[in-house]
Amino acid sequence: MKIAPSILDANWQSLQGEINSIATADRIHLDIMDGHYVPNLSFGPPALKDINFPVETEAHLMVDNPENFFEMFQTLGCKTITFHLENTGSDKAFEFLKHLKEKNIKPGICIDGNTQPEELTDEILAIAEQVLVMSVKAGFGGQSFTPECMDKIKAIRARGFKGEIEVDGGVNIDNVSGLKEAGADIVVVGSFLMKKSVEERTSIIKNFQQI
Ligand code: DX5
Ligand code: ZN
């Protein structure tokens, strides 16, 4: 299983060291929250402008009007931009996915904990290169995993989606095998990894990658 650590729960006093400690991950996941779509604030590109990322980054935009923000994350170097179906609706989501693709960004669509996969139209699944399935309600790190996400993953695969399925929220080493069997390609791991010491992280990342 591929792993994308979220730096939401990193120690921001020594952020470069934190990032270096997860350099063997497949990707680094940036959780962007604006206090509107989710009741929480996180960080924006200025907080990361002096950081050297040793591995590809992806932005998970939990923000209203994601079309106003994606360019600053592309400038930061993000290869994948994922936004929420819940705050665009289907028509705008399709247009925005198309726009991201035209801008040479890997386009991703996220469904939040309460959203059913049937709300993703065939048109959206045909153009999205990543579907991010939340296994919690978006907004905070450290929440408990909801196993209902397994059925969502299976349903998306059953519709023939060939892109990447990523799972986000409450993922740990005990639930990752089930996610793989359900059809997921990559997991976002926040508190389970970032609450561990810097020295332990490379071997934890390897444990995920060996599943
Ligand atoms: C939640 C974020 C997640 C979260 C993951 O809204 O999108 O990426 O920080 O953290 P854990 O793994 O602690 O649930
Ligand atoms: Zn996330």
Side-chain angles (χ1 to χ4, degrees), residues 19-191:
I19 301 279
N20 294 346
S21 77
I22 52 175
T24 56
D26 297 279
R27 205 175 294 164
I28 289 176
H29 182 86
L30 307 178
D31 281 308
I32 311 304
M33 307 179 181
D34 69 348
H36 289 271
Y37 174 62
V38 290
N40 198 8
L41 286 170
S42 60
F43 52 87
L48 302 172
K49 72 177 178 4
D50 296 327
I51 296 293
N52 178 25
F53 286 99
V55 58
E56 190 179 310
T57 55
E58 60 181 14
H60 173 195
L61 300 183
M62 289 163 271
V63 302
D64 285 348
N65 303 312
E67 67 280 9
N68 294 345
F69 298 101
F70 80 91
E71 273 170 333
M72 57 178 86
F73 290 95
Q74 184 176 33
T75 303
L76 191 71
C78 293
K79 298 272 185 273
T80 308
I81 304 273
T82 300
F83 64 93
H84 277 254
L85 177 66
E86 294 81 8
N87 57 5
T88 58
S90 299
D91 293 348
K92 187 172 159 186
F94 175 73
E95 291 304 326
F96 188 35
L97 288 163
K98 206 164 83 180
H99 187 60
L100 290 172
K101 208 168 182 149
E102 283 161 7
K103 295 274 183 183
N104 286 321
I105 295 170
K106 181 172 164 182
I109 183 86
C110 181
I111 53 168
D112 212 334
N114 299 330
T115 304
Q116 294 307 311
E118 295 70 36
E119 294 182 42
L120 292 164
T121 63
D122 289 341
E123 211 181 21
I124 287 174
L125 287 185
I127 195 159
E129 292 179 31
Q130 181 195 75
V131 175
L132 175 56
V133 177
M134 295 303 298
S135 35
V136 297
K137 177 86 181 75
F140 299 89
Q143 302 182 72
S144 300
F145 178 82
T146 53
E148 290 74 25
C149 69
M150 308 270 197
D151 290 336
K152 295 187 187 182
I153 297 165
K154 289 180 194 159
I156 294 164
R157 280 287 177 238
R159 286 172 63 189
F161 179 66
K162 297 278 188 301
E164 176 178 74
I165 298 184
E166 183 173 50
V167 182
D168 187 359
V171 176
N172 58 49
I173 200 70
D174 296 324
N175 53 32
V176 70
S177 302
L179 291 170
K180 179 148 191 175
E181 278 163 29
D185 305 290
I186 179 164
V187 287
V188 177
V189 184
S191 52

